[in-house]
Amino acid sequence: MNTNEVFVVGVMSGTSLDGVDLVYVKFSNKKNQDFDILYAQTVGYSKKWKSRLQDAINFSSDDLETLNKDYGSFLGSVIHTFMDKFLIKEVDFIASHGHTVLHEPHKGVTLQVGDGQTIANHTKQKVICDFRTQDVMLGGQGAPLVPIGDELLFSDYDYCLNLGGFSNISFHKNGTRIAFDICPVNIVLNHYVNKLGLDYDDAGEIASKGSLNKQLLTALNSIDFYSQKPPKSLGLEWVKKNIFPLIDSLETDISTILRTFVEHVVIQISKIIKGNTAVLITGGGAFNSFLVNRIREVSQNDIILPKNQLIDFKEALIFAFLGVLRSRNQVNCLSSVTGASKDHSSGSVFLPMEI
């Protein structure tokens, strides 16, 4: 293997359940910003897998352990197919985020299913995974983890804003990288548009035609989370407890819900991205042109949308990079971001075993 370069398969599944994102990346060992996404693909979930992952929050501990192994087998198969499709031969390791089914750091709990040993056995490759648990054990939120990539790969931008299941942001403040979850986005929008038989609101078209429910908007903006100082992070359980019941109690029309929630997202994001600044937007929400245009109008910032490949695969890319840092025993979790007791190098390493 070339010691000047490292080749990694990065694997990511987001809370919006769009599918499994896979990237094959070449990183330079001399300069972090020298990287190249050679191949990238999203593999959609079957209805069965989507339902199982959505329901996992209610599983018993035994059922979760079964899911962890089964999902590891699924990821192993998906990765193997990806490598075969693109004739990928040179791999130093696979870096897998897995799929988050539990995230309650205040209780010392975070769980990303997708057993690393199972993936290693299926792919015959070294696997680095479970990037969040150590941070939670050190008193951190275990999230967000992407900011170390923003710091080392995308430092040209004032803000790096991700619009995925949740919106999260990272930026420099007083010489320190700050990052946190801002609010839910696609995890809520998709939930309601699913009731219309659609997977998502294409370009925000339905939301753009909806009406604003000012009572609902005020109630959403008054949620305690938004007045809390970082570090802070969000999970599906928080949305189920705080967002869905509130919306359902005040509005039933889907287009009105979508329009109002988009405005809520815009207001919360615009509170953060202040000043005449350059904002890099990635994540699935970047394709919601109604949402992005509202952010541009309200914040009056320089909103930058990169090429589609980076919009779609930035998180998978950065988890591949987290694996690179872990393989070097370099810091990949920042205490200034997560609130952990110290910066640290997180991730469990698995080598393939004969099965």
Side-chain angles (χ1 to χ4, degrees):
M1 296 250 178
N2 188 337
T3 56
N4 293 324
E5 297 171 336
V6 57
F7 293 85
V8 185
V9 175
V11 187
M12 172 73 194
S13 173
T15 49
S16 52
L17 284 168
D18 296 330
V20 180
D21 292 338
L22 302 108
V23 291
Y24 179 55
V25 191
K26 178 177 70 174
F27 292 98
S28 167
N29 277 324
K30 294 183 176 180
K31 184 180 178 183
N32 289 323
Q33 288 180 312
D34 288 347
F35 64 85
D36 189 11
I37 300 176
L38 302 175
Y39 303 110
Q41 181 183 14
T42 297
V43 177
Y45 286 116
S46 65
K47 287 184 178 179
K48 182 177 179 181
W49 263 117
K50 200 168 186 177
S51 175
R52 196 172 175 192
L53 292 172
Q54 284 174 328
D55 294 342
I57 193 172
N58 302 312
F59 283 10
S60 67
S61 56
D62 286 347
D63 287 342
L64 283 173
E65 183 54 38
T66 300
L67 175 65
N68 188 36
K69 295 285 179 64
D70 289 351
Y71 189 66
S73 296
F74 169 74
L75 287 182
S77 176
V78 166
I79 295 165
H80 195 276
T81 301
F82 173 73
M83 291 174 62
D84 282 351
K85 176 180 179 179
F86 294 107
L87 304 177
I88 296 169
K89 302 297 182 185
E90 188 173 2
V91 178
D92 289 284
F93 56 85
I94 294 162
S96 175
H97 170 267
H99 185 84
T100 300
V101 296
L102 291 171
H103 184 68
E104 297 181 283
H106 60 287
K107 295 181 181 179
V109 174
T110 187
L111 174 62
Q112 289 70 47
V113 293
D115 180 59
Q117 188 63 65
T118 302
I119 298 172
N121 293 347
H122 274 264
T123 60
K124 309 298 184 192
Q125 300 290 338
K126 176 180 175 181
V127 171
I128 302 176
C129 64
D130 193 16
F131 292 100
R132 300 188 189 274
T133 299
Q134 179 173 288
D135 192 78
V136 171
M137 290 174 65
L138 290 170
Q141 291 281 310
L145 299 184
V146 167
I148 187 70
D150 294 339
E151 176 84 10
L152 298 177
L153 303 180
F154 300 102
S155 58
D156 292 342
Y157 302 94
D158 297 303
Y159 294 95
C160 289
L161 175 65
N162 179 65
L163 300 176
F166 299 91
S167 63
N168 46 65
I169 196 163
S170 85
F171 55 96
H172 253 307
K173 184 177 181 180
N174 300 326
T176 302
R177 176 62 55 166
I178 302 295
F180 51 92
D181 286 346
I182 299 177
C183 62
V185 184
N186 292 337
I187 199 168
V188 173
L189 298 177
N190 291 354
H191 171 81
Y192 285 100
V193 85
N194 287 168
K195 297 178 184 293
L196 300 177
L198 301 170
D199 290 331
Y200 57 92
D201 182 9
D202 189 13
E205 187 69 20
I206 300 171
S208 71
K209 295 175 180 175
S211 302
L212 267 180
N213 180 326
K214 293 184 178 179
Q215 181 186 9
L216 174 58
L217 183 61
T218 299
L220 287 167
N221 288 330
S222 300
I223 292 173
D224 287 344
F225 178 83
Y226 302 124
S227 62
Q228 296 172 14
K229 294 183 178 180
K232 56 182 181 178
S233 60
L234 294 167
L236 173 59
E237 40 296 301
W238 183 89
V239 173
K240 286 188 170 182
K241 180 180 179 182
N242 295 279
I243 300 294
F244 294 152
L246 177 59
I247 292 175
D248 294 341
S249 70
L250 294 175
E251 186 57 70
T252 57
D253 178 70
I254 300 299
S255 65
T256 298
I257 290 172
L258 297 176
R259 175 66 185 91
T260 304
F261 201 80
V262 163
E263 198 66 16
H264 166 62
V265 171
V266 170
I267 289 170
Q268 295 306 321
I269 289 173
S270 297
K271 285 181 182 179
I272 309 300
I273 52 174
K274 298 175 181 177
N276 185 17
T277 53
V279 183
L280 177 70
I281 294 186
T282 54
F287 296 111
N288 186 326
S289 53
F290 177 64
L291 170 60
V292 172
N293 286 335
R294 285 297 294 146
I295 294 172
R296 183 178 284 115
E297 290 165 4
V298 173
S299 73
Q300 297 186 328
N301 281 314
D302 183 14
I303 303 299
I304 298 157
L305 297 176
K307 292 180 180 179
N308 286 0
Q309 187 186 63
L310 191 56
I311 289 176
D312 282 331
F313 296 101
K314 177 171 174 269
E315 286 196 296
L317 161 71
I318 290 184
F319 275 98
F321 182 59
L322 260 66
V324 172
L325 294 175
R326 174 66 181 87
S327 71
R328 300 172 183 162
N329 287 318
Q330 294 177 350
V331 168
N332 63 5
C333 284
L334 299 171
S335 59
S336 65
V337 168
T338 68
S341 58
K342 61 180 180 179
D343 292 347
H344 56 103
S345 186
S346 185
S348 300
V349 180
F350 296 91
L351 299 176
M353 298 168 56
E354 290 297 326
I355 54 174

